[in-house]
Amino acid sequence: MSARPAAHRGDRRSTPIPLRKTLLIGLTGALAVLTAVVIVPDANAAASTLGAAAAQSGRYFGTAIAGSKLGDSNYTTIAAREFNMITAENEMKPDATEPQRGQFSFSAGDQIYNWATQRGLKVRGHTLAWHSQQPGWMQNMSGSALRQAMIDHINGVMAHYRGKLAAWDVVNEAFNEDGSRRQSNLQGTGNDWIEVAFRTARAADPSVKLCYNDYNIENWSYGKTQGVYRMIQDFKSRGVPIDCVGLQTHFTGGSSLPGNFQTTLSSFAALGVDVALTEVDVTNASTSQYAGLTQACMNVSRCIGITVWGVRDNDSWRSGESPLLFNSGGGAKAAYSSVLNVLNGPGPGPSTSPTGSPSPAPSSSPTTGTTNRIVGTQSGRCIDVPNSSQTNGTRVQLYDCHTQPNQRWTYTASRQLQVYGTMCLDAAGSGNGSAVQIYSCNGQSNQQWNVNSNGTITGAQSGRCIDVWSTANGAQVQIYDCNGQSNQQFRLASL
């Protein structure tokens, strides 16, 4: 299990800058000639900027922008070149947009909005309802008066930006680390305050994506993640308007990339919402963590984009940790290349329908009735039932191989993979990211598996491959569109 995530630090964070799509068509010609030659690049050519690379799969790669730095040409050159989505760092927060009750001020937010849209970049709104960075007059309110002030603020700000933004972080950071609600003045107005905020926002702008945004919700097994998940699950079941979940993805020395990060993204997405990485920064700009978080997003079709929280290291609220993709002089760091390579690599685009390669044809069946371990080619670890559980719905994981009963699988003539004699490997759903678990054997197609000659194991019901994103102990197992990568290759090793 990953270490408990470190507490989020600081309120006023640097804002990441969006990337602009680059037109890859070269035109040569002469004024005296009536024809022009259009040179079209190789369709397989790699994109050279973050925004253009992300756009190849229908995603965005953005950054947070501070209005005070728009006069810095090094800053704006990088931002305009590299990103295609912009978030205002502080200029659209409540203290900036309504400094006095009923008196709205949009000049700072509009400066960033205009800078972005004049360059063809989209803009995310951040944020409407938050316990922090409230104007002084709001901090001193409570009860029904504060509830009405929140509603009026959402209506006032969204009316100004109606139809102009790609998304709004409607509510920000409303949960404690244990998954309970944060005891803020907004929570004091009643437990339904978040629902009211989202319903108010939908009425104010029917077209913009409405998001819940928080930090330390990247680890699927963490209490805070589960608390937010239960809220989204409840909202979707009752028709509360919510379109996306923003995972801030601040990775520090005490809160690094968890092995189950992709599971978290796919689990939220399975509720019917988009997911986005909204405020990314990583201690010392670890190349492996930046590549890993980017790959996780690329592997989840409803992960629509990534925003880094600042342009250069000296623009970051964590500047002492050098956490961004560009150094203080504006030079691209090694982590930049690692992210760009992942964005230019293969991966499913954001879509509600499968986009992967067709499932491979099954091989002739392996020997049935023999007891095997299921060994991952990439990790060398075995598919394992955590804690030797025999409870229906226990999700299987990767773990160091041994010979105990919780790693002993028997492939049957009916294509089941049985453990403990009565429990079967079972797909909890048929979509990308569906959990692979154990369940009492029932003969249904979600418990039937094809063991293929190319090293994959595919579900008879879904046609998708058994898949793990991480190689670490405890990495959870799912099904995903078959892609030929080693994280989808397994072998039955006889005991």
Side-chain angles (χ1 to χ4, degrees):
M1 180 180 294
S2 301
R4 178 185 175 99
H8 183 66
R9 293 172 290 161
D11 287 329
R12 292 190 176 268
R13 293 158 292 197
S14 311
T15 316
I17 306 172
L19 306 178
R20 179 178 52 185
K21 296 180 181 177
T22 304
L23 186 61
L24 298 178
I25 297 176
L27 180 63
T28 62
L31 293 176
V33 189
L34 296 178
T35 60
V37 179
V38 177
I39 303 172
V40 181
D42 181 353
N44 297 318
S48 61
T49 66
L50 298 170
Q56 294 172 133
S57 64
R59 294 174 171 83
Y60 65 80
F61 205 101
T63 192
I65 290 290
S68 62
K69 297 184 179 180
L70 290 179
D72 180 336
S73 62
N74 179 265
Y75 178 88
T76 55
T77 297
I78 297 169
R81 180 188 71 225
E82 291 290 340
F83 304 102
N84 57 0
M85 182 71 76
I86 296 297
T87 305
E89 183 177 328
N90 291 295
E91 291 80 357
M92 294 186 183
K93 291 175 180 174
D95 59 348
T97 51
E98 194 178 2
Q100 302 297 325
R101 185 163 191 189
Q103 298 178 17
F104 291 90
S105 175
F106 299 111
S107 57
D110 286 352
Q111 179 190 22
I112 292 175
Y113 174 83
N114 291 335
W115 180 90
T117 56
Q118 287 165 6
R119 289 157 178 80
L121 313 178
K122 294 183 178 180
V123 179
R124 295 184 80 257
H126 176 79
T127 179
L128 294 168
W130 190 21
H131 70 276
S132 184
Q133 288 185 241
Q134 295 177 354
W137 63 266
M138 184 180 285
Q139 296 173 27
N140 297 322
M141 298 180 75
S142 61
S144 59
L146 177 59
R147 173 67 64 89
Q148 188 59 52
M150 178 192 77
I151 292 170
D152 292 344
H153 178 78
I154 292 171
N155 282 326
V157 175
M158 292 192 74
H160 180 78
Y161 289 108
R162 181 184 172 105
K164 297 179 179 180
L165 304 185
W168 264 110
D169 291 331
V170 178
V171 173
N172 196 46
E173 301 176 2
F175 280 77
N176 293 317
E177 301 304 297
D178 64 359
S180 62
R181 290 286 187 90
R182 182 191 294 273
Q183 293 305 303
S184 66
N185 60 349
L186 291 168
Q187 180 66 24
T189 69
N191 201 55
D192 64 340
W193 76 272
I194 300 177
E195 176 177 344
V196 170
F198 275 90
R199 291 191 184 279
T200 302
R202 175 55 71 231
D205 190 342
S207 63
V208 71
K209 284 184 182 291
L210 306 179
C211 306
Y212 176 79
N213 190 57
D214 216 328
Y215 62 91
N216 285 356
I217 59 170
E218 296 81 19
N219 188 329
W220 178 242
S221 63
Y222 195 47
K224 187 174 188 178
T225 308
Q226 293 300 312
V228 173
Y229 178 86
R230 288 190 294 270
M231 180 186 73
I232 306 302
Q233 187 178 47
D234 171 60
F235 280 9
K236 295 300 288 187
S237 71
R238 295 191 295 108
V240 178
I242 186 166
D243 304 307
C244 53
V245 174
L247 297 89
Q248 293 183 11
T249 320
H250 295 295
F251 290 151
T252 69
S255 174
S256 58
L257 176 67
N260 57 19
F261 185 44
Q262 183 176 320
T263 296
T264 304
L265 297 180
S266 59
S267 297
F268 277 117
L271 296 177
V273 293
D274 292 335
V275 290
L277 314 187
T278 54
E279 302 183 17
V280 176
D281 44 29
V282 179
T283 298
N284 296 324
S286 162
T287 56
S288 60
Q289 290 197 42
Y290 261 115
L293 67 88
T294 305
Q295 188 66 65
C297 180
M298 293 290 285
N299 287 347
V300 176
S301 60
R302 292 200 71 157
C303 185
I304 58 175
I306 299 171
T307 293
V308 289
W309 205 245
V311 180
R312 306 162 302 190
D313 285 337
N314 59 319
D315 305 315
S316 172
W317 66 296
R318 297 168 55 194
S319 58
E321 299 175 58
S322 304
L324 297 176
L325 298 176
F326 294 89
N327 63 34
S328 296
K333 297 157 67 174
Y336 171 90
S337 298
S338 71
V339 169
L340 190 63
N341 289 340
V342 173
L343 294 173
N344 277 317
S351 167
T352 56
S353 59
T355 58
S357 304
S359 299
S363 66
S364 55
S365 296
T367 303
T368 59
T370 59
T371 302
N372 310 275
R373 292 181 298 193
I374 307 174
V375 184
T377 299
Q378 182 186 60
S379 65
R381 292 190 164 96
C382 285
I383 291 184
D384 171 285
V385 183
N387 302 315
S388 298
S389 171
Q390 298 190 32
T391 303
N392 280 338
T394 300
R395 189 166 190 168
V396 297
Q397 63 180 3
L398 284 185
Y399 214 83
D400 293 333
C401 297
H402 51 68
T403 59
Q404 300 304 308
N406 62 323
Q407 290 187 3
R408 298 167 70 95
W409 303 90
T410 301
Y411 193 63
T412 72
S414 56
R415 295 185 293 166
Q416 294 173 325
L417 283 163
Q418 291 184 347
V419 64
Y420 311 132
T422 59
M423 309 289 288
C424 281
L425 197 68
D426 173 290
S430 59
N432 277 334
S434 295
V436 177
Q437 60 188 7
I438 59 168
Y439 214 88
S440 298
C441 297
N442 55 34
Q444 301 299 310
S445 59
N446 67 314
Q447 293 186 352
Q448 294 176 333
W449 303 92
N450 297 315
V451 179
N452 305 302
S453 58
N454 66 353
T456 61
I457 300 175
T458 50
Q461 180 189 66
S462 66
R464 292 186 164 94
C465 282
I466 287 181
D467 172 288
V468 289
W469 174 65
S470 169
T471 60
N473 277 334
Q476 294 182 321
V477 182
Q478 62 181 5
I479 57 172
Y480 213 86
D481 291 332
C482 299
N483 56 33
Q485 302 299 311
S486 59
N487 65 314
Q488 294 185 348
Q489 294 179 335
F490 296 84
R491 61 185 174 86
L492 301 187
S494 296
L495 288 167

